[in-house]
Amino acid sequence: MKKELVIVIDFGGQYNQLVARRVRECNVYCEIYSYKTDIEKIKAMNPKGIILTGGPNSCYEADSPTYKKELFELGIPVLGLCYGAQLMMHVLGGKVESAPVREYGKTEVLVDKKDSKIFEGVSEKTICWMSHFDYISQVAPGFEITAHTADCPVAAAENTEAGLYAIQYHPEVLHTAEGTKMLSNFVLGVCGCAGDWKMDAFVENTIREIREKVGDGRVLLALSGGVDSSVAAGLLSRAIGKQLTCVFVDHGLLRKDEGDEVEGVFGPNGQFDLNFIRVNAQQRYYDKLAGVTEPEAKRKIIGEEFIRIFEEEAKKIGAVDFLAQGTIYPDVVESGLGGESGVIKSHHNVGGLPEHVDFKDIIEPLRDLFKDEVRKAGLELGIPERLVFRQPFPGPGLGIRIIGEVTEEKVKIVQDADAIYREEIANAGLDKNINQYFAALTNMRSVGVMGDERTYDYAVALRAVTTVDFMTAEAAEIPYDVLNKVMSRIINEVKGVNRVFYDLTSKPPGTIEFE
Ligand code: XMP
């Protein structure tokens, strides 16, 4: 099945991934390309619609990102957002200049053209998120103004005959109350997309594509038990069964019983047809980490040891044809589209690629999906909910939740404390509202009293944050009685702990993890 495609052209705005996500929420498939992408390539993809994103520049300045006028003459509907809207006007003969009043934040937008397709079903006065210092002072010939604000004469404009639409605000951010409706009006109403991009079709198509690509070859996957690698394993297993070998390295820094859970799902008694190799490397890691206290040194050892073990296992298996990876779309976008968004962080999957594994090609079955879509695919494949909705867990695991030296004894303490904490958060019904929560072990011991005995034990720190993107975060407000119960259980049930702290620090200045 050839899927309907909407293309998002990236001009460097901070919300560009959100634009693509919102379009996909309308069940329309969508991909992001740099503004440097050649128009012939865009044409060849035959998109049903094109969306131009925001960006930090002024379109009338000489070196600012731009696009050929031809883009607006392809007969494909185009929606420009913020910078994209200004660029559309600038290229087509309207006027864009520095605004006398900059608009930033939630702003009331008044719809002037009630029968505009973009505003179908949208309130006449609607709150939108504005963030601009330039404004459209004059629309291009053929355009009519469809909405304004108190300070901005052109909040939206359109040339319906040419299929061109401009919006000054950001419909993709949730602060724009009816933004998703407006984007859906564009992709479904204007572009005529059917909105039939669904997970079951994705799963079916991907399974077919994997079979075609792999043939009778062999595939190797490093399975961590995290959402992405688990869903990749599920997909590959359905596609090629025992041609897939998954290597699961238990580094002894997993949460309580986690290694067994992963084995339960993907191992010989699980529901997937594949070769499962569990490497019990706990002791090897504890030996390597003995005496090491510096956080970066710990991270490095944990990462390198993983690669080494994976390579050793791969060597035993012999040459494989494909190395599979759980790369997802945000990884692809964040490694840079070659456009303005640039490299936010180096590709975490490719960064960790083993050098000494003999394979011909890489296979990344999730590279087109956002995280929420990966989860949907996981459910579709029958992967248990507790795995699919698992909270983020860092690659170095408990190694960065034990401040200072890692020892087997400390791992046991933090595992037990963390299991109690998670259990009580779930019992209180708070688990859906907190994005990440865990116990960590401080490197501090202090004096206490238990019964009639003096104790000299460790302090556990509880962390819980609410966050949208994990780049900034707030400490979650957990009811005192829940914290109190967690404290009391940890002190009573976990040997070696005599104090419990709750971490109130936001990010920044703190990070979510402790090291
Ligand atoms: P920080 O501590 O930087 O964490 O505020 C932000 C998010 O990233 C996760 N995290 C990691 N994930 N490998 C990972 O796969 C890592 O080395 C790593 N370090 C932090 C962290 O759990 C949080 O969700």
Side-chain angles (χ1 to χ4, degrees), residues 224-241:
S224 70
V227 181
D228 303 341
S229 66
S230 295
V231 175
L235 263 176
L236 286 158
S237 156
R238 293 273 190 264
I240 53 167

Side-chain angles (χ1 to χ4, degrees), residues 81-98:
L81 305 178
C82 195
Y83 183 84
Q86 295 167 3
L87 184 74
M88 179 186 283
M89 293 303 156
H90 179 70
V91 170
L92 297 174
K95 200 162 175 195
V96 176
E97 49 194 333
S98 178

